[in-house]
DNA sequence: CGTCCCCTTGAATGAAGTCAATACGCGTGG
DNA sequence: CCACGCGTATTGACTTCATTCAAGGGGACG
């Protein structure tokens, strides 16, 4: 596994601010020192991965927390016979694994989808963050609970929705999540996933993903071309998907935590 | 449904101790004061629910953490059109919601399956626990990470496994989880779930659950009768299910945390 | 004794998977 | 420059798995 280390690209790609700052800002009000702290910690040790490269493999015992700075990654599991399920997508601003300080080894893998730049946050860096910056701590709690809620929603998606609804739901989620880190345009986002990867995430065969996409296109719900997904009418897609954004807890819910504002 | 006997049965089965004590003991070595603390806190305020009764509903803002003392419950979500997905099962020793101190409202519901006795742990009681008993804190981290891992495994189950594998997998999981709280007999467990509930958990129709169960029976993999599930050959069921227990992290992984033993 | 819930079974339908062939774009090396 | 290979997308025909609809059985309970 090649693991070089180029630092500068990331900040250029995501604009000036850090995607985690951007994301947490939707939940808690971060003071300038909070932002600087996140900024600092997430640029201390960055690392680049090529597309398709594994970031962490099942059985590893990782030593740090990974923060995605740019690119897409995914959490996945492979059955003995090779079937693969993508369990979650990681977008810029997402933290990969808070669990690793407690559990002995990874029970799944994390792989880059596009090329990825991430920041490796050490245990001590993390503790420092939590101790000195309660606002960030609150934000990280929020992030981790939303990740759990998203995981639950995926179970609903896989268990109850049919192919069309499932695909539509995934697109709704990705659009909103990218928007909270400033990576959505008016009504479109980058869509680096191949049809086969979409299938691994939705539990559908690649062939059926293809047909499902065509259906969504025919209904005028999406435009998907040149690795760009456009959603002309989000409300319409949302209705088809039976999508309810509650589980993303985006409504700036943390305001009540700002009582003792700086 | 008369279930008065069940409560006393449970405590007899788990011995004197509390299912949470039993469970955490698989991960961290609890000292007598730790056990007493859990015991005390979980008997402070208990509450009973009838079978099928909702414990928490979507939209609620719960004020405490619920610890299941006896009975089965589930986390579930309902789509606008009524389709229902069970997202997780709660067994004795399971904690329902650590999230409620951060997120504004529940994005799903929790319902009793059998009659349930649970303990309502207040925020302050919880803080007390965490502050004075680092061993318990570690254990609770483990419990919450395993719950997350289980949630991920469900996504794999729903996304990749066919009906037979899926059902077999669920049975393997329930058996092992009940065993870690002392509620499994040699090779059998109570199985209070109706076929329709099994369907809601596995994303299958009740009719197909029925046929799937028959298949598992015909293969000699399970005996399911009188609300009791017997697994004559766990290894065989495990193979059919492509079940890998890693995700439950049962191997007493927390031993390394016992360095400063009392 | 009837009702309700749960389980069971059969037949028909429908959704998604598999297999296989073809097309397209892109980069590489001849 | 073009041929080739490779990964990705598309399409059709067929199969398999699971759902739906419908009917009937059994046990618990009022």
């Amino acid at each position: 596994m090649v693991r070089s280390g180029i630092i500068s690209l990331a900040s250029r790609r995501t604009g000036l601010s850090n995607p985690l700052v951007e994301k947490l800002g939707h939940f808690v009000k971060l003071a300038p020192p909070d932002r600087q702290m996140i900024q600092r910690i997430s640029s201390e040790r960055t690392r680049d991965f090529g597309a398709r490269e594994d970031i962490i493999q099942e059985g590893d015992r990782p030593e740090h927390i990974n923060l995605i700075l740019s690119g897409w990654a995914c959490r996945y599991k492979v059955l003995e016979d090779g079937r693969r399920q993508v369990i979650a997508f990681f977008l810029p601003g997402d933290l990969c694994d808070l669990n690793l300080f407690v559990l002995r080894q990874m029970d799944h893998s994390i792989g880059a989808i596009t090329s990825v730049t991430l920041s490796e946050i050490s245990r001590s860096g993390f503790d420092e963050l939590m101790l000195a910056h309660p606002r960030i701590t609150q934000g990280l709690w929020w992030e981790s609970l939303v990740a759990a809620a998203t995981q639950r929603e995926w179970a609903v998606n896989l268990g109850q929705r049919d192919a069309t609804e499932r695909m539509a739901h995934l697109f709704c989620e990705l659009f909103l999540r990218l928007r909270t880190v400033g990576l959505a345009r008016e009504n479109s986002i980058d869509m680096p996933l191949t049809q086969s990867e979409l299938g691994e995430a939705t539990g559908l065969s690649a062939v059926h993903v293809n047909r499902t996409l065509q259906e969504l296109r025919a209904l005028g719900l999406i435009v998907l071309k040149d690795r760009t997904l456009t959603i002309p009418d989000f409300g319409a897609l949302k209705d088809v998907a039976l999508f309810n954004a509650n589980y993303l807890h985006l409504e700036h819910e943390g305001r009540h935590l700002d009582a003792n504002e700086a």
Side-chain angles (χ1 to χ4, degrees), chain A residues 7-70:
Chain A
I7 300 177
S8 54
L9 260 156
S11 53
R12 219 183 304 136
R13 236 184 254 144
T14 54
L16 287 175
S17 110
N18 175 297
L20 183 57
V21 169
E22 190 118 0
K23 191 164 81 159
L24 296 191
H26 284 269
F27 180 64
V28 286
K29 195 155 193 175
L30 296 175
D34 294 328
R35 293 162 201 268
Q36 284 153 22
M37 177 63 170
I38 295 179
Q39 193 64 261
R40 203 200 83 211
I41 263 206
S42 62
S43 55
E44 258 173 12
R45 239 184 49 177
T46 68
R47 199 146 161 210
D48 290 341
F49 292 86
R52 311 289 147 105
E53 208 175 327
D54 267 343
I55 294 172
I56 300 175
Q57 290 178 325
E58 185 167 346
D60 283 3
R61 168 137 182 81
E63 305 294 330
H64 29 66
I65 290 165
N66 293 316
L67 165 63
I68 308 282
L69 295 174
S70 76

Side-chain angles (χ1 to χ4, degrees), chain A residues 9-156:
Chain A
L9 260 156
S11 53
R12 219 183 304 136
R13 236 184 254 144
T14 54
L16 287 175
S17 110
N18 175 297
L20 183 57
V21 169
E22 190 118 0
K23 191 164 81 159
L24 296 191
H26 284 269
F27 180 64
V28 286
K29 195 155 193 175
L30 296 175
D34 294 328
R35 293 162 201 268
Q36 284 153 22
M37 177 63 170
I38 295 179
Q39 193 64 261
R40 203 200 83 211
I41 263 206
S42 62
S43 55
E44 258 173 12
R45 239 184 49 177
T46 68
R47 199 146 161 210
D48 290 341
F49 292 86
R52 311 289 147 105
E53 208 175 327
D54 267 343
I55 294 172
I56 300 175
Q57 290 178 325
E58 185 167 346
D60 283 3
R61 168 137 182 81
E63 305 294 330
H64 29 66
I65 290 165
N66 293 316
L67 165 63
I68 308 282
L69 295 174
S70 76
W72 290 35
C74 68
R75 207 194 279 279
Y76 69 90
K77 266 188 112 149
V78 184
L79 298 184
E80 301 162 26
D81 66 0
R83 278 175 281 176
R84 168 192 303 252
Q85 175 71 37
V86 168
I87 288 165
F89 286 116
F90 293 118
L91 309 177
D94 286 343
L95 288 155
C96 285
D97 272 287
L98 303 171
N99 62 358
L100 33 84
F101 300 139
V102 179
L103 299 182
R104 200 170 44 185
Q105 59 164 24
M106 293 289 288
D107 55 33
H108 61 270
S109 307
I110 295 180
I113 288 173
T114 64
S115 62
V116 162
T117 301
L118 53 77
S119 158
E120 294 182 338
I121 305 177
S122 66
R123 171 87 202 226
S124 60
F126 209 74
D127 288 346
E128 189 187 344
L129 205 69
M130 307 275 272
L131 274 172
H133 299 260
R135 208 69 63 75
I136 296 178
T137 305
Q138 280 289 350
L140 291 175
W141 267 110
W142 171 78
E143 122 88 26
S144 109
L145 295 172
V146 168
T150 303
Q151 198 63 77
R152 291 193 292 266
E153 189 61 33
W154 277 46
V156 178

Side-chain angles (χ1 to χ4, degrees), chain A residues 155-173:
Chain A
V156 178
N157 211 22
L158 291 163
Q160 297 299 325
R161 282 184 257 257
D162 68 24
T164 314
E165 296 164 343
R166 228 182 273 181
M167 197 66 61
H169 190 277
L170 177 60
F171 289 154
C172 287
E173 177 182 311

Side-chain angles (χ1 to χ4, degrees), chain A residues 245-262:
Chain A
N246 283 173
Y247 74 97
L248 294 173
H249 296 272
L250 294 172
E251 307 299 332
H252 205 80
E253 297 191 0
R255 274 168 308 186
H256 63 287
L257 302 168
D258 300 337
N260 51 350
E261 245 261 76

Side-chain angles (χ1 to χ4, degrees), chain A residues 199-215:
Chain A
E200 290 172 347
T202 51
L204 300 168
S205 70
V207 171
H208 201 244
V209 166
N210 184 291
R211 300 196 227 266
T212 305
L213 291 177
Q214 311 223 20
E215 194 196 335

